[in-house]
Amino acid sequence: MELIDTHCHLDAPEFDNDRAAVRQRSGAAGLVALVIPAIYAPGWANLLALCASQMNEPMLYPALGLHPLYLDQHHDTDIAALERVVADHRVVAIGEIGLDFVVRELDRTRQQQLFESQLQVARSAGLPVLLHVRKAHDAVLATLRRLPVVGGIAHAFNGSLQQAHQYLDLGFRLGFGGMLTFERSTRLRRLATQLPPEAIVLETDAPDLTVAAHQGERNSPEYLPDVLATLARIRDADPFDLAAQTTATARAVLKLP
Ligand SMILES: [Zn+2]
């Protein structure tokens, strides 16, 4: 079985003490690739260096961008820097970028500016994007219609079925993670059963948003099989077929080998 964690912050300080061991256990759990999205410019160099240390599986693939939750740490000059770094390095996506309307202190105009500038970088580089969207799907979808990109992933998707289909029409796939493993996620589970299989990719968002079996602990990419198992059970699908399908989808949308 080959699995891809399409959203994992393995560069986070939470993994400083045992990053190599986590990577090794993830490989043993069937993961062949991890996509590591950036949150802000000061982290880019470290993230690229981590992904360049390709000594064993799973392979690590970088995405670079400016996360909307870290708005006050971004500078206008970061956009030109992003353009330069993306031209000089192999990255699989621009991310994670988007709009977060849950945290009220985050200036929406400024978020929108940064989001659009980064979509422009993705457009000129021909790269997909990794989206962080909370209570802002309609605004994000409207922006994507105005500034279309080659596609990408709406990470930790939690919108409606209708919004899901709008993302699919724009070339996006939808990321499902640990939230799915909680019995109480009834709305999310229903959504995950209503989508066509080719709409779905798997993710952990480690070290955040852990799976039910490890509630209260640090999340880890090695728990991705829990997400697969839940998804297979609620969709009444064969786990091996679902693994093959979601991995093929992740490879296609992010052009991974
Ligand atoms: Zn994230």
Side-chain angles (χ1 to χ4, degrees):
M1 187 180 298
E2 294 192 341
L3 296 174
I4 294 179
D5 188 346
T6 61
H7 198 108
C8 169
H9 298 280
L10 194 67
D11 61 325
E14 284 87 341
F15 294 109
D16 279 354
N17 290 329
D18 63 346
R19 190 170 288 110
V22 167
R23 186 171 173 185
Q24 198 247 320
R25 289 198 301 270
S26 301
L31 277 79
V32 291
L34 309 182
V35 178
I36 313 192
I39 53 173
Y40 58 5
W44 294 346
N46 180 42
L47 196 158
L48 288 169
L50 172 65
C51 293
S53 63
Q54 306 278 19
M55 282 174 298
N56 48 15
E57 295 222 313
M59 301 293 273
L60 310 179
Y61 296 96
L64 296 187
L66 307 170
H67 192 303
L69 281 179
Y70 298 82
L71 198 64
D72 60 356
Q73 298 182 54
H74 305 325
H75 305 278
D76 288 334
T77 52
D78 290 347
I79 298 298
L82 181 62
E83 244 161 2
R84 276 197 308 274
V85 179
V86 164
D88 290 348
H89 297 80
R90 280 193 53 189
V91 308
V92 296
I94 299 297
E96 58 184 293
I97 65 173
L99 299 175
D100 193 309
F101 291 172
V102 170
V103 182
R104 297 194 163 274
E105 296 73 42
L106 297 172
D107 183 90
R108 292 189 182 183
T109 309
R110 173 86 177 132
Q111 285 195 61
Q112 184 73 33
Q113 278 169 356
L114 278 173
F115 182 42
E116 292 189 12
S117 309
Q118 294 183 93
L119 288 177
Q120 295 288 15
V121 175
R123 283 156 61 88
S124 32
L127 287 169
V129 302
L130 304 178
L131 294 175
H132 168 104
V133 188
R134 290 202 303 170
K135 299 248 187 275
H137 286 297
D138 289 337
V140 165
L141 286 162
T143 309
L144 288 170
R145 272 186 215 103
R146 206 153 37 77
L147 299 168
V149 294
V150 293
I153 296 170
H155 131 74
F157 185 72
N158 58 357
S160 68
L161 183 61
Q162 193 208 5
Q163 287 163 335
H165 281 288
Q166 293 176 44
Y167 280 110
L168 294 175
D169 291 345
L170 289 162
F172 280 75
R173 300 295 177 263
L174 309 165
F176 286 87
M179 285 306 294
L180 210 56
T181 62
F182 290 88
E183 293 287 347
R184 64 170 187 269
S185 301
T186 49
R187 202 184 68 89
L188 190 66
R189 284 183 168 197
R190 191 177 333 112
L191 178 75
T193 61
Q194 290 168 327
L195 291 167
E198 64 274 15
I200 298 172
V201 294
L202 306 180
E203 63 169 61
T204 62
D205 201 22
D208 301 322
L209 299 174
T210 196
V211 295
H214 295 272
Q215 204 169 354
E217 299 169 27
R218 177 189 71 177
N219 193 9
S220 171
E222 69 204 270
Y223 304 152
L224 195 66
D226 279 30
V227 179
L228 174 78
T230 303
L231 193 61
R233 186 165 50 77
I234 62 179
R235 289 180 65 94
D236 198 20
D238 179 89
F240 288 91
D241 290 347
L242 199 58
Q245 171 89 64
T246 54
T247 294
T249 304
R251 283 193 172 120
V253 74
L254 300 177
K255 300 191 173 62
L256 302 178

